[in-house]
Amino acid sequence: MASRFSAATRFVRAPLSRSVARRGYASESASKHAGQEFPEESFGNNVWRNATLLAIAGVVWYRVDQHLTGQGDDKHPFTKWIEYHMTPSSENDRFNQATLEEAEKLAEYRLIAQDAQRAPIYRMRYPESFERASPRGLQVGLQCDLSDLKVRTD
């Protein structure tokens, strides 16, 4: 409690320049906009003009649309324009068929790769027995020459 009181008395005894510096930017924001005038806000802004123009454009579009579709055409001109810029369905079918064939090949390859098994590895229990045998004095047909054999220990 005494520390709060002593801190408050220090603030009161501080010079005026230090107390203003402690306030930071609080007093600066008011001085920046003091001489600046903002435009008057009202309901007569451009919003109403733009809304009116948009409503008129909607009515004109509706009337033109009724006139164009009332001529007996089976398709709307906008629909014809979209169909003109679209890719033909026959080309899409060819592309889809090619993609399907590639997917089938990949699936077959994956099945083959899944079913594949590594060749069995036969490991000897004591591989150092190759090095203990003498390459001399072998009887014919009982052993093979293992002098150039390198035993993998991994």
Side-chain angles (χ1 to χ4, degrees):
M1 183 73 159
S3 63
R4 287 186 198 166
F5 182 70
S6 64
T9 57
R10 272 189 249 139
F11 181 68
V12 172
R13 280 190 258 146
L16 183 62
S17 62
R18 273 183 65 195
S19 64
V20 170
R22 281 186 183 169
R23 287 182 62 191
Y25 296 103
S27 60
E28 242 180 77
S29 63
S31 63
K32 281 184 181 177
H33 301 294
Q36 190 176 15
E37 292 184 22
F38 295 103
E40 182 181 336
E41 294 181 7
S42 67
F43 288 106
N45 290 343
N46 293 336
V47 173
W48 296 110
R49 182 197 60 179
N50 293 344
T52 306
L53 289 175
L54 183 66
I56 291 171
V59 169
V60 168
W61 176 264
Y62 179 72
R63 295 293 183 183
V64 169
D65 187 48
Q66 280 185 345
H67 176 70
L68 290 175
T69 56
Q71 294 177 354
D73 292 342
D74 55 346
K75 291 184 182 178
H76 191 272
F78 193 67
T79 306
K80 288 180 184 178
W81 180 77
I82 290 174
E83 287 178 350
Y84 174 75
H85 288 289
M86 284 177 54
T87 307
S89 62
S90 60
E91 187 174 330
N92 282 338
D93 290 343
R94 275 189 281 118
F95 176 74
N96 289 340
Q97 189 63 30
T99 306
L100 181 63
E101 289 171 2
E102 290 294 323
E104 286 176 356
K105 288 178 185 175
L106 181 64
E108 288 176 12
Y109 174 75
R110 285 186 179 164
L111 281 175
I112 292 171
Q114 272 179 324
D115 293 339
Q117 294 179 355
R118 263 179 96 175
I121 298 174
Y122 300 106
R123 300 199 187 272
M124 288 190 64
R125 188 164 182 183
Y126 302 111
E128 64 272 0
S129 63
F130 283 115
E131 298 167 0
R132 274 194 257 142
S134 172
R136 297 171 196 42
L138 299 175
Q139 295 177 1
V140 177
L142 293 180
Q143 290 185 343
C144 21
D145 183 20
L146 302 175
S147 60
D148 59 345
L149 178 71
K150 296 193 187 275
V151 179
R152 287 178 48 182
T153 58
D154 54 315

